[in-house]
Amino acid sequence: MDQEKIMKTATRKISRLRSLGIVTVGAATLVAGITAYKKQDQLFRTFIMPTVRLLPAETSHQLAVLACKYRLCPVSQYQDDPNLHTPFFGRMLSNPIGIAAGFDKNAEAVDGLQDLGFGFIEVGTVTPAAQEGNPRPRVFRLNEDKAIINRYGFNSEGHQAVLQRLQRLRSKEDFNGVVGVNLGRNKSTMSPIADYVQGVRVFGPVADYLVINVSSPNTKGLRDMQSKDKLRELLEQVNDTRSNLEKNKNVPVFLKLSPDLSEDDMKDVVWVIKRKKSSVDGLIVSNTTVSRDNIVAIKMTEEAGGLSGPPLKARSTEMIAQMYHLTDGKVPIIGVGGVASGYDAYEKIEAGASYVQLYTALVYDGPGLVEDIKEELSKLITELGHNNVADVVGTKNKFYLPKK
Ligand SMILES: Cc1cc2nc3c(=O)[nH]c(=O)nc-3n(C[C@H](O)[C@H](O)[C@H](O)COP(=O)(O)O)c2cc1C
């Protein structure tokens, strides 16, 4: 009897050990698999990105955000060259390449985006109350142009959900990333200015910079807020609110502009931001365009929304040059629109941008693009005889302002 008991206990123990072994080997294989897979940039370029692109555009976007959220994307092994280090309002960015607004609208993917090697991350656009945005489909790939048309219309989980995520991020001891929050307004708001003011109040204390986004083409009436009187009133209230913050009173405020502004519109914007009460700390040039120039995929020109990627590149660079000139090179510019290589980034910087962002190229070229851009940019800076990014800013602006 006793012997039977001993045999049973021994069998149970062996079976438990065997299960434990299977679980351990399985877990180890999984970890090894993920680690190997995370280092396979080539796998992304040749297999994962083309496969993901077979899915509807919004589904691939959601998957990409999830991959970053759960840190399944490759972790960049590239060490930023010191010539990429760039000062940013009292901080030092490891490199000047950021992810533009619209990819991580709800601040879910910040850690994963850092893993890819971005020097700074902009989340949003965030609206005060949660809202659905426009009906689907609302994102379209223009494969021949490597471009995108989107009319998301500020789909957002709202201020509180995003705030909680950012607070959690800030409480992590090992997190030291630079995170900007792009602010918008609700579609049905009665008081657009109040929406932005609320954004400043809510996110001022947790953001490294704020963006006043009055340039998305997918919310009716939004871009009218770039007009002289409306912009002045908006920015005065934004600045008032910021100066009353208890924490982080000096959080830099950027204004994001549409590439569809005329030269007179741009002059009006500059008139407003040169006034102390309605000044801004920086500009983002530019948002998507409603123009359909430079498109090969003509079938898609009928789709309403903002166009991004290569067809926007020249216009956004031209506008950077114009704004750099109109502001006497005194207002830092984040240059964005069609950047897909280190050379494109260099062009934006030469035109007057101090920092560069991208979004659309990531959709076509995958996460390894960030390293490639940094490597090429760093090489160009050295080969063309400059010490760092700051030395290049505005050097090929046709209105070049020599540094004193
Ligand atoms: C799908 C998609 C969604 C976007 N959503 C936003 C947004 O919510 N807020 C914003 O300011 N810009 C948004 N943008 C514009 C980008 O931030 C950027 O200004 C523009 O796409 C130009 O850069 P790119 O050519 O590198 O994409 C979005 C762009 C795309 C493609």
Side-chain angles (χ1 to χ4, degrees):
M1 191 67 179
D2 272 355
Q3 231 178 0
E4 210 175 293
K5 249 189 186 171
I6 291 166
M7 283 298 282
K8 267 190 186 163
T9 317
T11 319
R12 238 183 278 136
K13 275 190 180 160
I14 289 167
S15 142
R16 247 188 246 145
L17 274 173
R18 197 183 293 147
S19 315
L20 193 68
I22 292 169
V23 171
T24 312
V25 171
T29 313
L30 189 69
V31 169
I34 288 177
T35 312
Y37 148 87
K38 282 162 92 173
K39 288 183 181 160
Q40 288 302 318
D41 171 37
Q42 228 15 56
L43 192 68
F44 271 86
R45 270 181 208 275
T46 54
F47 179 68
I48 297 177
M49 296 312 290
T51 309
V52 166
R53 275 204 303 278
L54 295 175
L55 301 168
E58 185 161 349
T59 311
S60 339
H61 178 194
Q62 286 166 335
L63 282 177
V65 171
L66 280 179
C68 287
K69 180 173 177 171
Y70 294 107
R71 303 183 87 163
L72 294 171
C73 279
V75 180
S76 172
Q77 305 296 319
Y78 177 79
Q79 278 291 324
D80 292 341
D81 190 283
N83 71 2
L84 293 178
H85 298 181
T86 307
F88 184 88
F89 299 91
R91 305 268 301 262
M92 186 58 87
L93 302 180
S94 177
N95 70 76
I97 310 296
I99 175 80
F103 177 79
D104 188 9
K105 286 180 184 272
N106 296 304
E108 297 170 273
V110 177
D111 285 316
L113 287 165
Q114 270 220 303
D115 289 345
L116 299 190
F118 282 111
F120 64 108
I121 287 148
E122 189 170 314
V123 301
T125 294
V126 193
T127 57
Q131 63 175 33
E132 294 279 323
N134 289 325
R136 297 179 195 202
R138 50 194 181 173
V139 200
F140 307 89
R141 289 191 208 93
L142 286 66
N143 289 323
E144 299 97 312
D145 300 280
K146 287 191 150 192
I148 289 178
I149 290 175
N150 93 84
R151 51 168 182 270
Y152 267 115
F154 290 169
N155 50 322
S156 171
E157 289 184 15
H159 282 178
Q160 284 314 310
V162 175
L163 176 66
Q164 279 172 20
R165 289 197 188 105
L166 291 177
Q167 283 171 333
R168 230 176 289 139
L169 202 65
R170 294 284 179 217
S171 67
K172 286 191 198 169
E173 267 175 24
D174 59 342
F175 184 80
N176 63 353
V178 170
V179 182
V181 182
N182 182 305
L183 303 172
R185 47 157 272 211
N186 279 116
K187 183 180 176 185
S188 56
T189 183
M190 299 304 282
S191 170
I193 290 185
D195 281 17
Y196 289 97
V197 163
Q198 194 183 328
V200 175
R201 219 177 276 132
V202 170
F203 292 105
V206 293
D208 292 305
Y209 70 95
L210 296 171
V211 182
I212 304 300
N213 177 12
V214 281
S215 48
S216 288
N218 305 311
T219 296
K220 201 165 166 246
L222 187 88
R223 289 177 306 157
D224 299 344
M225 294 181 83
Q226 292 170 112
S227 67
K228 206 170 181 177
D229 289 340
K230 286 186 181 157
L231 187 64
R232 191 181 55 168
E233 196 188 337
L234 168 66
L235 292 178
E236 280 182 6
Q237 292 203 31
V238 161
N239 285 340
D240 265 359
T241 311
R242 176 178 57 172
S243 62
N244 287 321
L245 290 176
E246 281 182 11
K247 208 180 138 202
N248 212 14
K249 271 185 201 312
N250 295 321
V251 57
V253 171
F254 281 73
L255 176 67
K256 186 163 179 178
L257 297 174
S258 160
D260 303 322
L261 294 181
S262 68
E263 200 165 341
D264 282 345
D265 295 335
M266 280 187 258
K267 284 181 182 158
D268 283 350
V269 168
V270 172
W271 181 86
V272 171
I273 64 172
K274 277 190 175 167
R275 293 174 71 252
K276 194 167 187 302
K277 280 172 83 176
S278 50
S279 63
V280 292
D281 303 288
L283 294 168
I284 303 188
V285 182
S286 71
N287 214 313
T288 54
T289 178
V290 294
S291 151
R292 293 295 181 258
D293 294 346
N294 314 319
I295 287 187
V296 177
I298 38 171
K299 265 197 272 168
M300 303 300 281
T301 52
E302 301 288 294
E303 292 295 350
L307 172 70
S308 57
L312 170 66
K313 188 169 79 175
R315 171 61 193 144
S316 105
T317 307
E318 180 192 24
M319 188 169 163
I320 291 164
Q322 287 168 307
M323 291 308 289
Y324 182 80
H325 175 61
L326 290 171
T327 55
D328 308 317
K330 287 183 182 147
V331 181
I333 296 174
I334 298 178
V336 50
V339 173
S341 68
Y343 184 76
D344 295 339
Y346 193 90
E347 267 189 343
K348 294 275 193 263
I349 299 168
E350 278 185 316
S354 298
Y355 317 97
V356 175
Q357 286 177 329
L358 60 101
Y359 178 170
T360 302
L362 202 62
V363 172
Y364 287 94
D365 297 333
L369 178 73
V370 186
E371 276 187 17
D372 293 351
I373 289 182
K374 292 192 296 182
E375 211 171 338
E376 191 180 13
L377 176 62
S378 169
K379 243 200 217 157
L380 279 169
I381 291 171
T382 307
E383 280 171 15
L384 296 170
H386 301 288
N387 292 321
N388 49 42
V389 174
D391 280 354
V392 181
V393 177
T395 48
K396 203 181 166 192
N397 191 306
K398 64 179 167 176
F399 318 105
Y400 177 48
L401 307 160
K403 291 204 180 77
K404 296 199 174 101

